[in-house]
Amino acid sequence: MPVAINQLHPAFAGEVSGIDCTKPLAPDEVAAIEAGMDRYAVLVFRDQDLSDDQQIAFTRHFGELESYKEAGHIQKAWDRRLRAGMADFSNLDKDGNIISAEDRVWFFKLGDRLWHSDSSFRPVPAKYSLLSGRVLPSWGANTDFADMRAAYDALDDRTKAEIEPLVCLHSLIYSREAIGFTDLTPDEIEAFRPIRQRLVRIHPVTGRKSLFLAAHAGAIEGWTIPEARMFLRDLTEHATQREFVYSHSWRLNDLVMWDNRQTMHRARRFDRNEVRDVRRTTLAGDVITIEQLA
């Protein structure tokens, strides 16, 4: 069965058929998926009952897994539930029990409900992310995606000229401060030191410009903090208007793949007393945005 992609949203997001993500892909299948990612930025694969090994193998068709020595989370290695290469976005602890509502790890995870782009706080931000829905709660838990290309295109010329040279500072400290989580150790503060990123990105394949925003962005070089944060908030409100957003309502064994270079996303609320087991693989990025020509 040939690969087919049907549009899910007037602006972006596509549903893929003709692919079994549990099996090795042929070169033409990889090329079709990559072309779909360049066009849609978000792809949905239904009925993919994946093991962790299969998800990692599928992900590696499109590049190398992201790997950093510096922490991207406050959770320690010995407290993690999943193997290396898998990021745990569940509400479960290492023993498979629902995390306490008072656990600082749970507080930290709540920051994922803010609009963000994966690893924008890394020197080289992530390329693709792939999230597999293994166990789902009875309501809520959608994942929303915002098309940052369309958001950029819709800006007026004066704003485009203003933002073209701007450089932002990104850190997990900023996004967690936004939800009132400031209980960080000195080691965590050092690991989360701010990283410089351009506010306008250029896609390496299509050449399209997009906004590079995230809750992790908390400062603009050369601006005061209050003015920078108000401006970034205004841009985020613009970029997340209804016409730019696809909201994914999860089905069991969905695999959702998105391009962090062209989108923002956020998790949505659910009943924390029900299990939500979703597991992410992340592809290493391909460009240092600060080296991109303005």
Side-chain angles (χ1 to χ4, degrees), residues 100-147:
S100 166
E102 302 300 322
D103 195 312
R104 68 193 295 267
V105 170
W106 174 246
F107 295 152
F108 196 86
K109 284 174 178 278
L110 288 174
D112 294 326
R113 298 184 186 180
L114 300 173
W115 286 106
H116 64 285
S117 178
D118 289 336
S119 297
S120 76
F121 50 84
R122 307 283 199 189
V124 182
K127 182 185 177 184
Y128 298 162
S129 295
L130 297 89
L131 193 64
S132 171
R134 309 293 181 85
V135 181
L136 303 176
S138 62
W139 64 270
N142 281 17
T143 303
D144 294 343
F145 297 92
D147 186 348

Side-chain angles (χ1 to χ4, degrees), residues 63-264:
E64 295 299 319
L65 293 180
E66 188 177 66
S67 176
Y68 283 94
K69 292 181 181 179
E70 299 87 355
H73 201 285
I74 62 170
Q75 199 168 28
K76 306 305 180 186
W78 56 84
D79 280 333
R80 292 175 188 162
R81 190 172 63 98
L82 304 181
R83 56 161 289 183
M86 301 294 301
D88 191 355
F89 286 85
S90 73
N91 60 339
L92 302 173
D93 64 19
K94 66 178 181 180
D95 298 316
N97 300 313
I98 291 176
I99 297 173
S100 166
E102 302 300 322
D103 195 312
R104 68 193 295 267
V105 170
W106 174 246
F107 295 152
F108 196 86
K109 284 174 178 278
L110 288 174
D112 294 326
R113 298 184 186 180
L114 300 173
W115 286 106
H116 64 285
S117 178
D118 289 336
S119 297
S120 76
F121 50 84
R122 307 283 199 189
V124 182
K127 182 185 177 184
Y128 298 162
S129 295
L130 297 89
L131 193 64
S132 171
R134 309 293 181 85
V135 181
L136 303 176
S138 62
W139 64 270
N142 281 17
T143 303
D144 294 343
F145 297 92
D147 186 348
M148 307 305 283
R149 306 161 300 179
Y152 174 85
D153 291 344
L155 293 171
D156 60 83
D157 290 341
R158 187 204 63 78
T159 303
K160 287 179 180 178
E162 181 181 19
I163 66 176
E164 186 71 29
L166 295 182
V167 173
C168 298
L169 297 179
H170 289 237
S171 171
L172 284 163
I173 295 171
Y174 299 138
S175 55
R176 271 50 191 181
E177 281 179 349
I179 64 167
F181 183 85
T182 56
D183 178 25
L184 295 173
T185 67
D187 286 346
E188 289 165 348
I189 292 171
E190 171 61 22
F192 301 158
R193 59 193 180 278
I195 296 294
R196 302 170 73 230
Q197 304 285 8
R198 287 201 175 277
L199 182 51
V200 178
R201 295 192 69 170
I202 300 173
H203 192 275
V205 177
T206 67
R208 287 189 70 179
K209 290 185 176 181
S210 62
L211 292 170
F212 192 35
L213 294 169
H216 308 313
I220 300 174
E221 289 186 346
W223 291 41
T224 64
I225 294 294
E227 189 166 4
R229 292 189 180 178
M230 285 308 306
F231 185 58
L232 291 170
R233 178 172 291 191
D234 287 345
L235 286 177
T236 299
E237 287 181 359
H238 162 77
T240 55
Q241 296 177 82
R242 184 182 297 273
E243 60 262 37
F244 304 137
V245 172
Y246 164 68
S247 184
H248 182 71
S249 180
W250 286 87
R251 302 179 194 169
L252 186 64
N253 294 326
D254 277 354
L255 178 69
V256 180
M257 181 175 182
W258 66 89
D259 189 339
N260 289 289
R261 303 167 300 180
Q262 305 186 85
T263 63
M264 275 198 306

